[in-house]
Structures are given as structure tokens and as C-alpha cells.
Amino acid sequence: MTSKSILVVGDGPVPHDYMNYRADVLVRYLALRTKHTVEILCPSPTQRRSDLDLAEGYPDVRFSYLPSSDPVSGFVSAVRRMVTVGSTVAHIRRILNSGRVDCIRTISSAPTVAAVLARGRRQIPIVANLSDFYGDLYTGSRLPLAWIAVHLIAIVERLCSRADVVIVDSPFQRARWGKRGVVQDRCVVLPHGLPRTAPAVVGPSPGCLTDLRLSLKLAPDEKLAVHLGDVGEMDGVDILVGALGALRREGVPVSLLVIGDGTPRYMRELEKIVERCGLRQNYFQIREVRNDELPLLLSQCDVCVAPFRLRDTSMTAIQNKVLEYLTVDVPIVATRSEALEWALGDAVCLVDPENEKALASAVWDAIKDSTMSRHQMKRRNAIRQSLEWADLLLTEIAIIEGVFCETTPRWNQWDFEPSWAV
């Protein structure tokens, strides 16, 4: 394959210090391991890396930055996000007009819509990664005019079907996008990889909380459950609070650490639920932790929990929080979804959705004995090996290069197959 010029368009900053972000690991891999020319268009990081870090981790990568985008927390910020999409279209057009792009690789729906609009009638292939549905994220954040927004988002999302190839997390996500117009034969199942398994830019930091229990002032017999990631209606932290409140009323000494944040409105609602469940003194929040510090922090907890409600996104995605949990030897309790059953099997404990009693029972079983069985460890190790970024990125490159083949490839030849059953 001759050298090509690839424009990566992301909805998050690159470098990204606070998330296992696909655009970041992809750009690094393309720059370090292939002969292709790479350009990245993305929101500006809040703290820019030094020129030396960029030169070492992203050699010869051309960076083009959009204004930093705040999380959608209300109607005004939602309008700002729409303006950002328009700005992204303008930036992509300028880059395309320079004549230096052979392929556009987009990460998430908004950049894909922007790329489709900017490309127009140009014969430039778009390879898109679509691992969530924005309508779910909007309604789950308790934002205003949700019913109008979801309808408009559904219309806009159909533009994603104009991408030449679409990459998704699971076969179930492929089916959901099929209902939004994506041609199934042009859709490849390739989930995100495990954090910190891609080429590194800088060495890991020593960790901000070397003694988490001391920092939180936990009693020696107190158990600690952790939830990592976004905090919204779909994420189900309120369900977890209810389950842990029930355990404490039964005399089980368990506290909750939430690593992440949500919209002000949802967080106010969550505070009331925490108070009502009697968990005020046993609820802790850390709004953000650097990605390379998470293993040290998570390994000091007794159980990692993902109690999400079932929506199109949560049913079909392998969430970043679950990938983070898989990197440490701590029991995992999560909502049963078709994607997690397919990808993880019985390597984690799966419970029925929105069932506080079942969730409480599973958490109690996990904290009574945090030692995982030999069977579970074997499954975990197989999953970790199959989800290493290094192997997944080889497939990524094959897919990107496939759009330049004279004969259209059979795209599902690159579908990911879970290895936990081996």
C-alpha cells in the first residue's frame, strides 16, 4: 500500500489525558507504525502538551484545533455544540480544498455528520466510528426540549449512513445503525481496546491517590464500591445508591466512590437520592482522574459497578468504564446487556436492569469475597489479550486501507470475535 494522507476528525481532544479515547490511540499508531501521513482535527486540549511530547508521541502529525467544547449541560450548551459542528464542517472543507486528503477517519456521530456535509460530491472515502447514539445521551441528561432534540438528532444521525465504512462496538450496534440507514454489509464490528495497551506518549504518572482509603477516611472494615465515567440517567448511579443504601440498612459497611460528573440538574437530583438513602457520609466523588492513574485507584476498591439503564447505546456498546474495570483484578458487577453478554460472558457478574435488590445482592457477594475464581481469571486474561489496542489497530489499518482497494472488500471479514470462550 502506497502512503496515503489520512484526516482523523474527533469529538474529543488529542492528546487526551482523561479517557481511553480511540482518536488518540489511532493517531499515535498511524504516526508511529505506518507510512501514512496523518492530520488530526479535534477540539483543543485544555492543557497543551509540549512540542517535545508531540514530536515524540505524534511524529510528523499535523494538528488542527477547534475551540474547546464544553459538555452539553443545557439548551445553550446544546446550541453551542451545534455551532461547533458547523465550525467543524468549515475546517474540514478548508483542509479538503488543500488537496492533501485521501481518506477521512471520523470518531463519533457529530464528526461523521460534519465530514459528510463537508465532503459533498468529492470522491474521498469516509471511515466512521459510531459507538453511541446522541439521542440517548441528551434525554439521559435531563436536558430541556428533549423530545424535539431527539427527533432532530435522529434525522441528523441518518447522515452517518453516507459514510463508506462504519465501525461499531458489537453486532447489536450494527443492527441498530441499520435501522438508521447504515448498510450492514459496510459495517465492521471492532470495539475499543483496553486502556494503556497502545503506544505510549509519555511514561505513566505515579498516581494521585496512593492510599485511597486513608484519603477518604474509611474505617478498616469499610468496603468500597466504585463507579467510573459519566453520571446521567442512563448510567444508573441512582440505582446503585439505592442498592448500597439497602445494604447499609442491613448492617453492611459499604461506601460508594463516583469518579466522574454529570449535568448540574442530574447531580442535584442525585444528591437528594443520596440523602434519602442515608448515604451522605458514605458517598464520595472525584470529578476527574488522569487515565494513567486509574489502575492504582481502581485496584484499591472492592467492587467496580456499571449499573446502567438499557438504552440503544448502553445495550449495544462495550462501555469505556467496563474496559477500565477489566484492567484490574477487582470483581465487576454490571447490568446485563446483549453486548456485554456477547463480549464478556461470565467473566463479570451481570444482573437484570434497574433491579436494586439484584444489584445489592451481587455487590454483597462481590465484597464478601473479592477473590475471583480461577475460571474467571482465565476468562479475564483471554478478554484482555483479545482487546489489546495493538491487535485491534492492525485491523483498523486494514479497514482504512481497504477503501483504496480496486475491488470492494468483504468488510465483515474483519469482524471482532470474542475470545473468552477459548
Side-chain angles (χ1 to χ4, degrees), residues 395-417:
T395 305
E396 274 263 11
I397 303 307
I399 294 168
I400 291 173
E401 293 179 345
V403 299
F404 301 112
C405 294
E406 292 184 6
T407 304
T408 302
R410 183 174 57 84
W411 297 108
N412 61 11
Q413 69 179 295
W414 288 301
D415 277 356
F416 173 84
E417 292 291 343

Side-chain angles (χ1 to χ4, degrees), residues 2 52 77 86 89 103 124 137 139 153 190 193 202 212 221 248 251-252 300 314 322 331 355 360 368 410:
T2 59
L52 179 61
S77 56
V89 172
C103 175
I124 297 175
L137 306 180
T139 54
I153 289 170
L190 191 70
V202 293
L212 178 62
D221 64 340
R248 289 202 68 88
V252 179
Q300 297 176 72
S314 56
V322 174
N355 188 328
K368 274 191 302 185
R410 183 174 57 84

Side-chain angles (χ1 to χ4, degrees), residues 201-212:
V201 182
V202 293
S205 62
C208 61
L209 291 172
T210 55
D211 195 329
L212 178 62

